[in-house]
Amino acid sequence: MARIAVIGAGTGAMAAAARLAVAGHRVVVYERTETYGGAVRRFERDGFGFDTGPGLLTLPAVYRDLFVKTGKEPLEDCVELVQVDPSSRHVFADGTAVSLPNASRAGVVSALDEALGAGAGQRWGDFLVRAREAWDRTRRPLLEEPLWADWRVLTEREPYPAVPHKRLLRTRRAATLAEIGAWELRDRRLAALLDSYALAYGVDPGTAPASAAVLPYMEHAFGTWYVRGGIRELARAVHERCEKRRVEFVFGAEVTGIVDKDGRAAGVELADGTVAEADFVVGPGPGRLGTLMAGRQLYGADAVRPRAEGDRPGRVVVCLALRGGRQPDAAHLTVVHSPDTEGELGEFATGVGPERPTVRVHRPDDPALRPDAAHESVVLTATVPSGTGYDWAAPGAADAFADRMVAAAERAVPGLRERTLWREVRTPVDTERETGAVGGAVPPPALAAAETALYPANGTAIEGLFSVGGWSHPGGGLPHAGMSGALVAGLIVEGPKFRGSQ
């Protein structure tokens, strides 16, 4: 039995801890805040509850596998999963609206044809077929296996089979998500639809490789799910599974250093001067690990370079407590599109930001999140830069942008401002305080075809030291966090020859 110290109680870290405990190891989790879940948080006030992190779950199979592998209780015995239908409603800049059925390609094609005109649905359906090919090519190396030693093969060929496009007497193929929208979808509304899936994951559609086509494919193919009581309930269930497997949690315990003994990670140092010895240390990604290891080189010269956190997108979340009940036919998720989804992140460089941002409007039909049927809990989210260009801490900056988000959301929920009892605005500043991510950045998933879209391996050059969570392979997002935990546990239990689940 090995002693394992886990730094942080994020979802990926807890997923690793539960698996390692089941394998017979003694696992202690040190969390600097007073709660678990990382970015999966809940804000509560006056009988209202709001998810301030992810609002919906894709690929629930990742957490079904976690619960099967760590005990007899399946996931559905611990939380109630509800498949959202429609999966989303979209309100485009020109006023056109469409509701997309959940996990039904034929239904989506039909809905788009009816709303946007004949042929629009078919173009989107053909795109999903190509996106599936990219998914099939990248699923195992990017999600289910430790990062290959020869990872550069993942960047040498674009896995998305782009359609040849003649432009200026040259035949070209889309290399970015934005080019797929312009050259293959050939409709500003379809392009905005595609961009919105990237923005939801914290990916800039203007610079994302074409392989980001797997992001909408995941939702269309595997469905979109809501956890009754809010996504925070999933974090609670994972935490309780850890405790049942005798994982020890120490909250309010900030790790300030990693013990280095003869070139091997041998424990952690806490802010109060305590040293906790361990045979393995699992930490929260290369940025934080590098600081804790006093700048020691974590990876070889030929490894994937760690992503800089501070220049990655973050999120603004506006929690709205509303008077008046939720309409029975309201969609759980409505996306209100900006007139320029491809360029809206760049507008923050002016220090002002877009007048009409893309806003995701979450309206869960969940009595647990409202005081009674005469009130409603609504969450607005927008993807924004986390690092430079817009000072979220400046007086009035957060409220000014929240006003724009509310104005945009009113295109989907008329009378929103008049119904508002109060609101809570959360920016990348809050994300940084709660998660420690530099600038409040939210890590996007790993993508093929570009080195800058990959993450460093879960193992490091320092023996006994591993990284887990959104800033290490395979990147950010709830499903990816769960996969990260499975990979780290496999590497510790089975050693470097571990090749992922079969």
Side-chain angles (χ1 to χ4, degrees):
M1 178 179 72
R3 300 165 300 173
I4 301 176
V6 178
I7 305 170
T11 311
M14 291 194 297
R19 291 176 183 270
L20 289 166
V22 166
H25 300 297
R26 181 182 173 230
V27 184
V28 182
V29 178
Y30 299 92
E31 167 59 46
R32 67 180 182 86
T33 71
E34 298 300 329
T35 190
Y36 53 83
V40 184
R41 301 257 177 161
R42 174 185 291 155
F43 177 75
E44 295 178 332
R45 175 181 160 189
D46 300 340
F48 292 90
F50 309 88
D51 277 324
T52 60
L56 292 169
L57 176 66
T58 56
L59 291 177
V62 173
Y63 289 92
R64 291 187 178 118
D65 180 72
L66 170 65
F67 277 71
V68 166
K69 298 290 177 56
T70 59
K72 297 179 180 179
E73 292 176 293
L75 176 63
E76 279 81 352
D77 282 0
C78 302
V79 297
E80 182 182 354
L81 288 179
V82 180
Q83 193 166 19
V84 177
D85 200 15
S87 64
S88 56
R89 178 173 178 261
H90 294 263
V91 179
F92 297 103
D94 66 355
T96 308
V98 61
S99 293
L100 303 181
N102 203 336
S104 170
R105 178 178 173 274
V108 168
V109 168
S110 177
L112 289 173
D113 271 341
E114 182 177 350
L116 307 186
Q122 187 61 50
R123 289 196 297 278
W124 184 260
D126 291 343
F127 157 73
L128 289 179
V129 172
R130 295 189 292 274
R132 177 178 180 175
E133 188 169 335
W135 168 262
D136 290 341
R137 290 174 175 173
T138 61
R139 175 179 59 86
R140 283 200 62 82
L142 280 182
L143 300 180
E144 299 175 359
E145 298 178 347
L147 188 67
W148 294 346
D150 57 342
W151 58 268
R152 291 189 186 278
V153 301
L154 298 174
T155 69
E156 292 170 354
R157 178 187 176 190
E158 170 59 65
Y160 176 79
V163 176
H165 170 75
K166 282 193 173 183
R167 188 165 182 259
L168 300 178
L169 304 178
R170 295 176 57 194
T171 298
R172 300 183 60 186
R173 295 177 185 268
T176 67
L177 207 64
E179 289 175 343
I180 292 176
W183 299 351
E184 298 182 10
L185 298 179
R186 304 191 308 279
D187 185 304
R188 289 183 62 86
R189 296 162 298 184
L190 290 180
L193 175 62
L194 177 60
D195 291 347
S196 69
Y197 285 100
L199 288 170
Y201 283 92
V203 174
D204 184 344
T207 59
S211 62
V214 300
L215 302 178
Y217 173 77
M218 284 194 302
E219 297 195 22
H220 282 288
F222 305 110
T224 304
W225 303 78
Y226 175 67
V227 180
R228 186 70 67 187
I231 294 293
R232 175 68 176 177
E233 287 298 292
L234 178 63
R236 175 198 56 77
V238 176
H239 174 250
E240 290 183 355
R241 176 54 54 91
C242 285
E243 289 191 315
K244 289 180 179 179
R245 299 302 167 260
R246 301 183 184 278
V247 174
E248 180 183 351
F249 286 83
V250 184
F251 293 106
E254 182 179 2
V255 174
T256 56
I258 296 174
V259 177
D260 182 357
K261 186 176 181 180
D262 299 327
R264 178 186 174 89
V268 296
E269 301 174 2
L270 304 180
D272 64 2
T274 303
V275 174
E277 296 182 348
D279 301 298
F280 297 92
V281 175
V282 177
R288 179 68 175 141
L289 286 182
T291 301
L292 296 176
M293 289 297 297
R296 275 198 57 185
Q297 190 69 32
L298 298 182
Y299 302 96
D302 198 43
V304 175
R305 288 173 293 180
R307 289 184 173 214
E309 297 179 15
D311 61 354
R312 299 291 173 179
R315 292 192 181 99
V316 171
V317 178
V318 181
C319 306
L320 297 175
L322 303 182
R323 61 173 65 88
R326 179 184 187 273
Q327 294 92 335
D329 60 346
H332 185 110
L333 169 64
T334 299
V335 182
V336 182
H337 293 266
S338 168
D340 180 22
T341 54
E342 181 185 340
E344 67 177 290
L345 292 182
E347 292 184 46
F348 284 94
T350 65
V352 177
E355 186 62 33
R356 293 172 58 185
T358 297
V359 176
R360 295 167 65 87
V361 183
H362 291 265
R363 304 180 68 184
D365 185 10
D366 192 341
L369 300 182
R370 58 186 182 240
D372 52 50
H375 294 85
E376 184 180 6
S377 165
V378 170
V379 176
L380 312 181
T381 62
T383 299
V384 300
S386 65
T388 59
Y390 195 92
D391 184 2
W392 294 107
D399 278 325
F401 189 73
D403 287 342
R404 297 183 208 173
M405 291 174 62
V406 171
E410 281 199 303
R411 297 176 58 213
V413 189
L416 195 58
R417 278 175 281 198
E418 289 73 16
R419 293 177 58 198
T420 300
L421 294 169
W422 51 263
R423 75 185 188 188
E424 172 76 9
V425 181
R426 303 170 66 82
T427 72
V429 175
D430 299 286
T431 304
E432 181 171 22
R433 184 184 69 251
E434 293 177 351
T435 69
V438 176
V442 176
L447 298 168
E451 178 180 349
T452 55
L454 295 177
Y455 289 85
N458 304 103
T460 72
I462 299 172
E463 189 177 356
L465 180 63
F466 297 83
S467 67
V468 72
W471 295 105
S472 56
H473 179 71
L478 270 175
H480 299 72
M483 296 172 191
S484 177
L487 292 175
V488 168
L491 288 167
I492 291 176
V493 173
E494 299 186 26
K497 294 184 178 180
F498 173 67
R499 290 295 176 265
S501 58
Q502 302 298 321

